[in-house]
Amino acid sequence: MEKTVQLYEGKAKKVYATADETLCIVSYKDDATAFNGVKKGTIAGKGVVNNRMTNMLMQLLEQQGVPTHFVEEINERDTVVKRVKIVPLEVIIRNVSAGSFAKHYGVEEGIVFDEPTIEFSYKNDDLGDPLLNSYHALALKLATKEEIELIKKYSFKVNEVLKAYFLKLGVRLIDFKLEFGKLNDGTIVLADEISPDTCRFWDAKTGEKLDKDRFRRDMGGVEDAYKEIFKRVTTGE
Ligand code: TMP
């Protein structure tokens, strides 16, 4: 499978068409941004980690009954995926308080929730991805009621599968962001990526952050954190 024309360039990935109009190729970059693109940088090797980690996790999720866009990894940065129309909703699941939750509600990070939370934001860079609820999403016709219900069901399932998976690797899954896409026939599938860019991972023993917060917060050790989480995922320990 070969890339033809570039369809789209995002902050962390490029998307190319292929000769098969039902498939595209995503290509992961080392570029990193935060705060809606205000902070910019590069994280050496990030594209490789995020590509390979996303693909491993997508395959695990498929086995557990969550349909995904994953088709085939073609090299360390490029992957063939099903061509979808992205549902313009970012779905955030949280198990523990951190980031914008801690900030919005004036609580410290690290409070363990009895039940995971879900929230949506409208995927729109010009508006700064504003938070919205499912009624707003319906009013804006971003998805149907049935699609939103399915997206919620899949998102909680992803949480169950990934929380258990990472705990075995000595990692706490604090929160994460998902995006879904729609195939031509209307099927909803998990799309985008699942990586240290889009998840918070805390070492279960030391509490050390193994994700993009090290970049967002200028903590240093960014590349090493990506390497460490990748090592655990690939070696299974
Ligand atoms: P938040 O606490 O900043 O709202 O982030 C929640 C989770 O979502 C965290 O794991 C990082 C991820 N995230 C993204 O993947 N993309 C984004 O644009 C933002 C704001 C958060």
Side-chain angles (χ1 to χ4, degrees):
M1 181 85 21
E2 306 261 316
K3 296 170 186 167
T4 57
V5 289
Q6 184 177 308
L7 297 172
Y8 173 79
E9 177 161 10
K11 291 188 283 247
K13 296 187 284 300
K14 292 181 182 178
V15 182
Y16 297 88
T18 68
D20 181 337
E21 62 182 28
T22 68
L23 300 175
C24 338
I25 293 173
V26 289
S27 186
Y28 286 73
K29 305 187 286 184
D30 286 350
D31 299 352
T33 64
F35 316 116
N36 200 18
V38 171
K39 183 182 172 79
K40 290 189 175 73
T42 49
I43 301 173
K46 171 172 90 79
V48 175
V49 168
N50 288 7
N51 179 42
R52 296 195 53 203
M53 185 163 161
T54 295
N55 293 342
M56 292 180 70
L57 298 177
M58 292 262 179
Q59 289 173 85
L60 170 70
L61 289 164
E62 283 274 358
Q63 285 164 16
Q64 300 295 319
V66 179
T68 77
H69 71 166
F70 175 77
V71 177
E72 185 191 13
E73 185 172 296
I74 46 180
N75 62 51
E76 59 179 16
R77 284 180 188 271
D78 297 339
T79 294
V80 181
V81 298
K82 293 176 186 160
R83 191 158 177 175
V84 298
K85 257 186 101 165
I86 289 287
V87 177
L89 288 173
E90 298 197 348
V91 185
I92 293 164
I93 298 277
R94 300 178 192 271
N95 296 304
V96 177
S97 66
S100 69
F101 183 97
K103 199 167 162 231
H104 281 147
Y105 302 116
V107 296
E108 76 262 33
E109 298 197 306
I111 302 166
V112 179
F113 303 148
D114 290 342
E115 297 282 338
T117 67
I118 189 164
E119 72 212 39
F120 298 106
S121 53
Y122 177 21
K123 188 175 158 62
N124 183 320
D125 281 340
D126 294 340
L127 299 175
D129 298 341
L131 273 173
L132 44 61
N133 66 34
S134 51
Y135 294 90
H136 298 133
L138 276 176
L140 292 168
K141 297 192 166 45
L142 305 182
T144 66
K145 219 172 195 165
E146 292 71 29
E147 287 165 354
I148 292 173
E149 281 313 307
L150 197 57
I151 285 172
K152 279 187 190 163
K153 189 182 98 175
Y154 287 154
S155 299
F156 284 120
K157 176 74 180 179
V158 169
N159 188 42
E160 287 311 310
V161 172
L162 294 189
K163 216 169 58 171
Y165 171 83
F166 279 104
L167 207 51
K168 285 196 192 131
L169 305 178
V171 173
R172 295 172 70 203
L173 177 62
I174 303 304
D175 57 32
F176 56 92
K177 185 263 301 180
L178 300 176
E179 294 182 24
F180 291 84
K182 243 167 112 166
L183 303 181
N184 254 340
D185 67 1
T187 308
I188 296 281
V189 297
L190 182 62
D192 194 48
E193 65 181 276
I194 308 173
S195 71
D197 276 23
T198 61
C199 305
R200 286 195 171 93
F201 299 120
W202 293 0
D203 183 274
K205 277 210 192 88
T206 65
E208 191 190 352
K209 294 187 198 308
L210 300 173
D211 57 58
K212 193 176 161 190
D213 268 351
R214 303 197 76 90
F215 169 79
R216 295 188 187 99
R217 303 180 187 189
D218 296 320
M219 296 171 74
V222 185
E223 277 88 359
D224 284 346
Y226 277 70
K227 271 191 212 143
E228 176 61 27
I229 192 88
F230 186 55
K231 188 190 93 193
R232 293 197 201 182
V233 167
T234 47
T235 63
E237 56 196 51

